[in-house]
């Protein structure tokens, strides 16, 4: 391996091949601190050509490569295994915004660009890059693409997949595929772009991308609605979409227990309603016209929902700053959970129309198996995406309850499968859910995935042990 | 081969294995009448299981399969070659709408459903299936998916790819992949859906799909703007997007010569302006609120464009029926072309921001090579998609001019390549553009495509000779 590492040093310089324990440590533990891997070295290329040269060296020496962006993933996709034989390839130094084209509404970026910097560069040109998620201050667009990240703007703008027009990829052979096309229409052969998006670095390394930009909305206004049930939330969704179309940019469900947790852990936050309700929906409306248009449209729609008895009560923000205060309640749910102690998390999706039934059926099953367990159920209802987390019953310690993780997962995922849902809506598979994937995917689909993996990466050096 | 055909008859019954010249004839000639292939037989399965059983028989006997929907494609993708050894597999009998879910905003359909029937089934549930194109009365959704069809609603709703959530596919091994997921978010492994979409039947046969539905807009209103240049049209596009956001649902460019052709061939159609202008843009605005809202928004935006000198003149439709009349002018361009005689057609796309420059540079190149040739240049400017057709100079017959097709293609496609565009925006590759694809795609990309084809279809029986 000395020969391999010298080749790496010849490519990127000594300073960018880290092989001491201290040098590698910041790269080897995952975001939630559940796994610390070992690596042969951490490689920090500064150009696409260096990435390609490093991968060629890896192919020659049969060294496995784990690509890493901001290392904010939640499924152990960007950390090495425990063997110490894999190299970690950090894209962090590839962090240039290469070009912004405000007329084509595109931006060409290096994979290592931090999401927030991309949002800011778009805004500086009067445009919106709509991808937005909790880790945006440290995650990179390459990681967002590799995991097809979701976030809070999917209802209107789609997942990361829908926000990308072209890619640059270093193949497992160390060649550079220059697919940086900024085209809205291009029907020339197989859709390789979408194959690399969401492949979590197992088919190649994304080094650059052409992203879609949108006009900046003039204003976004929110409301918080109180409802009797998830079924009522679905009625509200249909009503809002029919009346507001693409202006509806957010639709987040939160259960009574979620708001109770936030109130307990963050008593300083506003409490929008005097009495508790069974469910809440945070709605966001964006207008390309004006703040006044957004407020008027939202008030009319909320009025109609009240009149028809779909919702029990509502608070409508009448300004952008009031809207931000309502979003705070939603954003504090994960923080409140973390303060309250660990729980068993599920990032699931379902057909939107089946969510109420899923919630009605799955809760009692969990309660039967784990009497008194608490559900922290919230999420992007408009996308069918629930964060369906299970906390211990009163009096049971988090540590004891976590011993039930496999059994809890089985109840939840079996129910997800029965309702035609997905066991990973927006986080991906990584190493964490690999066995679950093998359990729930059909052999036909798994075999096609394996055939593609073997065809593009015959040496099996690209992020092995992830997904498949 | 008798053994093979008896196996097929055992699967679908004698009536659905056509092997007489008269029985096969309706399936063997392409839409524009440029190629008539030969087939061993035409197979007409009535169920997905029958499709799978037929493909297994094909695999056993190494018989190549050409899938066909409505046979409205423009690139010879759905007709067999001249060998007489391929079977044509028609999906026409798989034509059920399986389910409409108005809350999930999805529809599950057989691949052989005619696009217009799908639009109507969506409308019956108060929803919109936005895919719309000239052949909608006879094309099938399976063909739309296999070619990733575009059409007139891409600016707002995307290509067919963006309108599909899940697929059912019969693999080249004759297995059924049930990927009919109706999920907005699903990050569980490789994106096989998007690999089959646009693969033109070369990787498997799409037999069913889950389609995205949208709320029906309350009204769509159009305007026709007159402008001095394509560059002004780009300024207008930016202005309209900034003011109207997702309400802008159409933006079609037409040159002076296009409208002149329409006026000559269809003198009964309205002539919106007294004097001719260099360029025209047909704009469409859709509102989820009301006709009044759409008209008001459009009038304000057009007023701003006039005030800032971006456009010279405009006609705004003040009702849905006036809007339809303006669309007629745009829709009659292809018909007027056909009446005027054959020309050399190109379905190209470019970065939107580079279209004015492309038009400015490419026209003079063509004129230098073919003095006096006429450009029929129109298309979906908002998507960067031009139908850039070249007609003979006055006095040169269509037949004589068509002898120059390869040379004309070289001028146009070399220019498209220089501007980072695509030689097939929405029609696909088929057999017609296979050599052009090999010429303009990078070896890295072609090799990945070939590796995927070999991995999924090792016998090479799925629509051979198309794309690759």
């Amino acid at each position: 391996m000395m020969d391999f590492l010298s080749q790496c040093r010849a490519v990127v310089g000594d300073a960018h091949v880290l092989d001491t324990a201290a040098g590698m440590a910041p790269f080897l533990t995952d975001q939630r601190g559940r796994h610390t891997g070992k690596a042969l070295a951490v490689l920090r290329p500064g150009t696409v050509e260096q990435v390609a040269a490093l991968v060629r060296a890896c192919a020659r020496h049969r060294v496995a490569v784990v690509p890493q962006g901001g290392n904010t993933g939640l499924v152990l996709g960007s950390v090495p295994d425990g063997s110490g034989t894999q190299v970690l390839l950090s894209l962090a130094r590839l962090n240039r915004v290469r070009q912004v084209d405000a007329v084509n509404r595109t931006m060409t970026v290096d994979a290592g660009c931090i999401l927030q910097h991309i949002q800011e560069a778009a805004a500086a040109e009067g445009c919106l890059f709509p991808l937005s998620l909790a880790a945006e201050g440290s995650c990179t667009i390459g990681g967002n693409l590799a995991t097809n990240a979701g976030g809070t703007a999917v209802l209107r703008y789609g997942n990361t997949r829908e926000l990308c027009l072209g890619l640059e990829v270093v193949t497992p052979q160390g060649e550079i595929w220059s697919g940086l096309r900024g085209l809205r229409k291009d029907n020339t052969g197989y859709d390789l772009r979408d194959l690399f998006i969401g492949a979590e670095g197992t088919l190649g390394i994304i080094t650059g991308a052409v992203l879609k930009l949108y006009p900046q909305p003039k204003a976004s206004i929110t409301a918080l609605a109180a409802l009797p049930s998830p079924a009522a939330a679905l009625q509200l969704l249909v009503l809002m979409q029919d009346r507001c179309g693409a202006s509806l940019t957010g639709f987040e469900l939160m259960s009574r227990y979620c708001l109770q947790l936030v109130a307990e852990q963050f008593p300083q936050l506003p409490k929008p309603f005097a009495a508790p309700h069974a469910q809440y929906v945070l709605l966001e409306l964006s207008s390309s016209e004006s703040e006044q248009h957004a407020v008027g449209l939202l008030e009319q729609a909320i009025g109609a929902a009240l009149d028809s008895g779909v919702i029990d009560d509502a608070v409508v923000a009448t300004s952008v700053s009031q809207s931000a205060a309502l979003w705070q309640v939603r954003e504090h749910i994960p923080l409140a959970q973390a303060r309250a102690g660990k729980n068993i998390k599920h990032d699931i999706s379902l057909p939107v129309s089946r969510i109420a039934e899923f919630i009605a059926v799955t809760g009692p099953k969990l309660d039967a198996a784990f009497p008194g367990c608490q559900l922290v159920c919230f999420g992007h209802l408009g996308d069918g995406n629930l964060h369906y987390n299970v906390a211990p019953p009163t009096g049971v310690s988090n540590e004891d309850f976590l011993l039930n993780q496999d059994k809890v997962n089985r109840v939840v995922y079996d129910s997800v499968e029965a309702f035609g849902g997905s066991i990973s809506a927006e986080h991906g598979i990584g190493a964490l859910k690999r066995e679950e994937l093998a359990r729930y995917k059909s052999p036909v689909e798994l075999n096609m995935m394996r055939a593609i993996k073997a065809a593009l990466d015959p040496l099996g050096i690209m992020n092995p042990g992830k997904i498949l």
Side-chain angles (χ1 to χ4, degrees), chain A:
Chain A
M1 284 300 113
M2 287 312 293
D3 184 37
F4 167 71
L5 287 180
S6 354
Q7 287 177 17
C8 293
R9 290 195 176 92
V11 173
V12 293
D14 291 357
H16 297 301
V17 176
L18 314 177
D19 61 352
T20 65
M24 293 194 284
F27 299 87
L28 302 183
T29 299
D30 80 294
Q31 160 93 356
R32 284 187 180 151
R34 285 169 299 186
H35 170 79
T36 297
K38 288 180 188 165
L40 184 64
V42 171
L43 311 177
R44 304 180 72 245
T47 66
V48 178
E49 291 70 24
Q50 288 182 358
V51 175
L54 291 173
V55 172
R56 288 196 297 275
C58 289
R60 271 195 300 277
H61 291 84
R62 305 291 191 272
V63 173
V65 190
V66 180
Q68 185 180 92
N71 195 22
T72 60
L74 300 173
V75 291
L76 310 183
S78 58
V79 283
D81 65 17
S83 69
T85 62
Q86 306 183 320
V87 293
L88 191 139
L89 191 148
S90 166
L91 280 302
R93 290 179 64 219
L94 273 73
N95 60 0
R96 278 182 316 135
V97 171
R98 299 189 198 174
Q99 193 208 20
V100 182
D101 182 339
V103 175
N104 197 38
R105 307 258 184 209
T106 52
M107 179 189 278
T108 308
V109 298
D110 284 352
C113 282
I114 287 174
L115 174 55
Q116 191 179 324
H117 298 166
I118 291 174
Q119 295 165 344
E120 290 163 359
E125 299 288 331
C127 292
L128 171 74
F129 181 63
L131 184 66
S132 177
L133 40 90
E136 62 196 23
S138 51
C139 65
T140 64
I141 191 67
N144 299 146
L145 287 160
T147 59
N148 185 29
T152 53
V154 174
L155 181 64
R156 164 67 183 97
Y157 299 101
N159 297 285
T160 308
R161 180 182 304 291
E162 281 85 41
L163 299 174
C164 176
L165 291 176
L167 287 184
E168 177 186 74
V169 171
V170 170
T171 71
Q173 291 73 40
E175 296 182 300
I176 298 169
W177 171 47
S178 297
L180 289 174
R181 296 187 272 266
L183 303 173
R184 257 69 185 180
K185 286 183 174 176
D186 178 28
N187 282 345
T188 54
Y190 302 157
D191 181 10
L192 300 176
R193 175 192 68 207
D194 283 307
L195 190 59
F196 287 109
I197 295 175
E200 304 185 26
T202 64
L203 299 177
I205 300 175
I206 295 171
T207 54
V210 181
L211 305 174
K212 270 193 213 170
L213 304 180
Y214 286 83
Q216 281 277 12
K218 298 289 187 300
S220 294
I221 293 292
T222 60
L224 189 67
L227 308 96
S229 64
L234 291 182
Q235 288 182 277
L236 180 63
L237 177 64
V238 171
L239 182 153
M240 292 300 300
Q241 288 180 324
D242 282 339
R243 296 182 75 102
C244 308
S247 299
L248 183 68
T249 47
F251 199 94
E252 302 281 315
L253 181 74
M254 303 172 281
S255 70
R256 175 177 176 162
Y257 183 66
C258 293
L259 258 65
Q260 187 184 317
L261 262 185
V262 171
E264 283 167 15
Q265 300 291 339
F266 300 96
Q268 72 277 23
L269 285 184
K271 281 163 209 66
F273 301 104
H277 296 264
Q279 300 287 337
Y280 304 89
V281 168
L282 182 68
L283 300 140
E284 185 187 77
L285 227 72
S286 301
S287 170
S288 53
E289 299 172 46
S290 64
E291 184 173 309
Q292 190 189 354
H293 176 247
V295 172
L297 187 58
L298 185 52
E299 283 177 345
Q300 275 176 34
I302 288 289
L306 281 167
D307 289 348
S308 59
V310 171
I311 63 177
D312 293 331
D313 201 354
V315 180
V316 180
T318 51
S319 70
V320 172
S321 62
Q322 279 187 22
S323 295
L326 289 180
W327 267 110
Q328 279 207 316
V329 176
R330 162 67 180 84
E331 285 161 356
H332 277 72
I333 298 172
L335 306 173
Q337 274 188 105
R339 283 203 189 177
K342 287 191 179 178
N343 52 34
I344 301 173
K345 295 184 195 301
H346 306 97
D347 162 44
I348 59 176
S349 70
L350 297 148
V352 174
S353 53
R354 307 207 68 188
I355 282 188
E357 202 186 342
F358 171 85
I359 290 174
V361 164
T362 313
K365 282 189 183 166
L366 282 167
D367 198 62
F370 310 98
C373 69
Q374 298 279 8
L375 287 173
V376 188
C377 176
F378 64 102
H380 320 295
L381 189 69
D383 317 321
N385 181 191
L386 293 181
H387 298 300
Y388 191 84
N389 303 332
V390 189
T394 316
V396 177
S397 78
N398 293 107
E399 289 61 36
D400 284 348
F401 188 64
L402 286 178
L403 299 175
N404 297 307
Q405 179 148 341
D406 287 348
K407 288 180 192 163
V408 170
N409 288 350
R410 201 59 51 234
V411 173
V412 174
Y413 292 150
D414 281 356
S415 190
V416 166
E417 191 189 32
F419 282 92
S422 166
I423 62 164
S424 186
E426 57 177 10
H427 295 169
I429 299 299
L432 188 70
K433 293 189 179 174
R434 194 168 73 129
E435 288 175 25
E436 298 287 1
L437 187 77
R439 183 182 190 102
Y440 291 105
K441 280 274 175 190
S442 72
V444 174
E445 187 164 352
L446 285 170
N447 284 339
M448 287 195 284
M449 287 169 54
R450 289 190 194 107
I452 290 166
K453 168 74 174 174
L456 297 184
D457 179 23
L459 300 176
I461 61 169
M462 291 306 312
N463 214 5
K466 313 294 161 61
I467 299 183
L468 290 171

